[in-house]
Amino acid sequence: MFIIPQMFPIESPPQISNLTTDIIRLSDYFINNPDSQTPWNEHYCQNAYRNYFLPLNYLRVVNVIRRGQSVDFFTGFQSTIDWGAGPGTASFAIVDNLKNQIKKQILIEKSSTALRQFSDLHEKLIHPETTTELTLKNLNVQADRTLLIFSYSLTEMKSLPPNWDQYEGLMILEPATSQDGRKLLALRESLIKHGYTIWAPCTHQNACPLYTESKYDWCHDRYHVTAPPWFKQLEENLPMRNNTVTTSYLLARKTKPKNDFTNTARLTGDSLNEKGKTRQLMCRGPAREFLTWMHKDMDAQTLNRGELIEIPEKVVLKSNEVRTQQIVKLKHFN
Ligand SMILES: C[S@@+](CC[C@H](N)C(=O)[O-])C[C@H]1O[C@@H](n2cnc3c(N)ncnc32)[C@H](O)[C@@H]1O
């Protein structure tokens, strides 16, 4: 279980009714205008983002960082460029989890209002530099030690900015919707063609089965949230709950991983209880497959979507099912 970070608490929510109205308004705006720009000039947006969307996105990024850490993804990075940084959500998550290795953080953001509104938070970053100049040219970082981040910003852009492929690593998070998630899977193919290796969530560089074997599926992870009291109180007045949050993400590097992914799979679905069996979508190659526990053989395990697992030695292959006859273990490479 992960905890909503205590670095963004609403200490004493002054106008909880206004806040909930603002959150619902911004949520509706994002739903009705999935490709449009965040309306930073509106007060309701600033209020809702700071107190609700920022902590939730932060939590998503922290969890993607944890997925990356479990495959040693972050080794060697010394600087980050956060494109479409807004408040700097992803940059904060980096500081909180990788502060011993990061020496410089650049935030590139189209909206000067966003940079101004959140300047109090940017002070907490490591040698931060903020700019509204939308270019990756002449930045004072070493490209082969730099992680380029897009946290919920590609959804507002037509394509990656020129010169994106000079950097060693990419961390991309997008909304876990069919539309954005599938765009990310198309981008995955393009990154591989550009010589990048996808370190997570993928366990292989073949075609993505969710992309090629279905018209609507998309890869996304789910994280369990333990919220502090102020957040629960806030949610009581909202139509949406965040017991879990989801995200679609890619972690890619020019360097290839040292880890051996043989017999390793990613759980890409939630556990499905059916008559006589429990199935869970998993990914270890180009085929769309389910890890399956037959109830007559053994008790089913309930594993979280997004975890890496070791494929047990004793399995029976039946159609698109990999039926396990042994306990399935989680896999961590570090
Ligand atoms: C949904 S917000 C995400 C903010 C932050 N990265 C986060 O994870 O919470 C998307 C951000 O991308 C910015 N943006 C949109 N198009 C952009 C572009 N072409 N170049 C730079 N930033 C852009 C918006 O102004 C907005 O701040």
Side-chain angles (χ1 to χ4, degrees):
M1 288 290 185
F2 302 124
I3 297 194
I4 292 252
Q6 293 304 306
M7 65 188 281
F8 303 121
I10 307 167
E11 282 174 11
S12 49
Q15 294 173 321
I16 196 121
S17 60
N18 278 1
L19 183 54
T20 52
T21 311
D22 291 351
I23 291 168
I24 293 167
R25 192 167 164 199
L26 188 55
S27 174
D28 287 346
Y29 174 88
F30 282 140
I31 290 167
N32 297 327
N33 307 278
D35 303 325
S36 299
Q37 300 287 308
T38 307
W40 286 121
N41 289 333
E42 304 278 353
H43 180 263
Y44 84 87
C45 169
Q46 296 164 13
N47 190 29
Y49 214 96
R50 181 180 283 260
N51 297 309
Y52 183 79
F53 292 90
L54 171 62
L56 287 177
N57 276 2
Y58 172 93
L59 189 67
R60 293 176 169 107
V61 182
V62 168
N63 284 292
V64 167
I65 291 174
R66 292 196 181 150
R67 295 288 187 223
Q69 286 174 321
S70 81
V71 292
D72 268 338
F73 176 77
F74 294 98
T75 303
F77 289 119
Q78 291 184 347
S79 40
T80 59
I81 302 171
D82 188 351
W83 185 289
T89 318
S91 300
F92 293 119
I94 291 279
V95 169
D96 287 348
N97 291 276
L98 302 164
K99 69 162 147 295
N100 294 336
Q101 68 183 81
I102 298 298
K103 298 186 168 49
K104 175 144 196 73
Q105 294 189 288
I106 297 179
L107 278 65
I108 299 178
E109 169 53 54
K110 197 173 187 174
S111 160
S112 55
T113 310
L115 290 182
R116 207 173 41 251
Q117 278 295 323
F118 294 98
S119 58
D120 59 323
L121 298 179
H122 297 156
E123 284 167 17
K124 300 178 203 286
L125 300 175
I126 301 169
H127 296 298
E129 205 177 296
T130 58
T131 177
T132 50
E133 278 189 39
L134 303 182
T135 175
L136 291 170
K137 277 197 185 147
N138 303 324
L139 296 179
N140 188 18
V141 290
Q142 208 181 314
D144 62 353
R145 298 256 173 199
T146 297
L147 179 67
L148 178 58
I149 302 169
F150 297 88
S151 171
Y152 293 85
S153 52
L154 266 188
T155 185
E156 297 188 12
M157 297 162 61
K158 292 204 168 59
S159 59
L160 289 168
N163 302 314
W164 62 271
D165 56 352
Q166 65 188 295
Y167 298 107
E168 162 63 19
L170 290 160
M171 176 165 91
I172 307 175
L173 284 86
E174 283 284 272
T177 61
S178 179
Q179 190 189 345
D180 285 312
R182 286 184 73 79
K183 269 203 259 173
L184 195 59
L185 295 180
L187 180 62
R188 172 186 183 273
E189 289 187 351
S190 164
L191 297 187
I192 293 171
K193 283 193 190 125
H194 275 82
Y196 283 84
T197 301
I198 314 298
W199 288 47
C202 313
T203 53
H204 62 93
Q205 308 303 307
N206 300 310
C208 168
L210 294 181
Y211 194 47
T212 55
E213 294 198 20
S214 137
K215 282 199 171 119
Y216 305 104
D217 273 354
W218 70 103
C219 187
H220 59 286
D221 207 330
R222 179 186 300 286
Y223 310 112
H224 293 261
V225 175
T226 306
W230 64 262
F231 196 86
K232 286 193 178 140
Q233 193 192 337
L234 186 64
E235 277 191 321
E236 277 167 20
N237 299 303
L238 291 173
M240 53 276 197
R241 294 282 174 274
N242 294 284
N243 298 332
T244 66
V245 290
T246 54
T247 196
S248 291
Y249 73 97
L250 290 178
L251 294 175
R253 282 187 80 144
K254 291 189 177 186
T255 306
K256 294 196 186 321
K258 292 196 185 89
N259 305 316
D260 178 6
F261 283 90
T262 317
N263 292 330
T264 305
R266 177 82 62 187
L267 294 173
T268 48
D270 294 318
S271 181
L272 304 168
N273 238 324
E274 295 168 3
K275 198 169 175 224
K277 62 185 168 187
T278 298
R279 297 194 302 160
Q280 194 160 8
L281 198 60
M282 68 166 198
C283 187
R284 58 168 176 171
R288 195 168 175 280
E289 294 179 305
F290 289 87
L291 181 64
T292 304
W293 292 262
M294 300 304 293
H295 295 166
K296 68 177 167 41
D297 293 337
M298 64 189 296
D299 288 341
Q301 292 170 258
T302 307
L303 302 172
N304 286 336
R305 177 194 274 258
E307 297 285 6
L308 274 184
I309 53 152
E310 273 177 46
I311 311 272
E313 275 169 25
K314 278 173 72 180
V315 291
V316 174
L317 300 182
K318 184 104 184 174
S319 172
N320 63 359
E321 291 184 354
V322 177
R323 295 183 174 175
T324 178
Q325 302 195 327
Q326 292 171 320
I327 296 287
V328 176
K329 290 192 200 135
L330 297 184
K331 177 95 182 173
H332 291 280
F333 286 103
N334 61 2

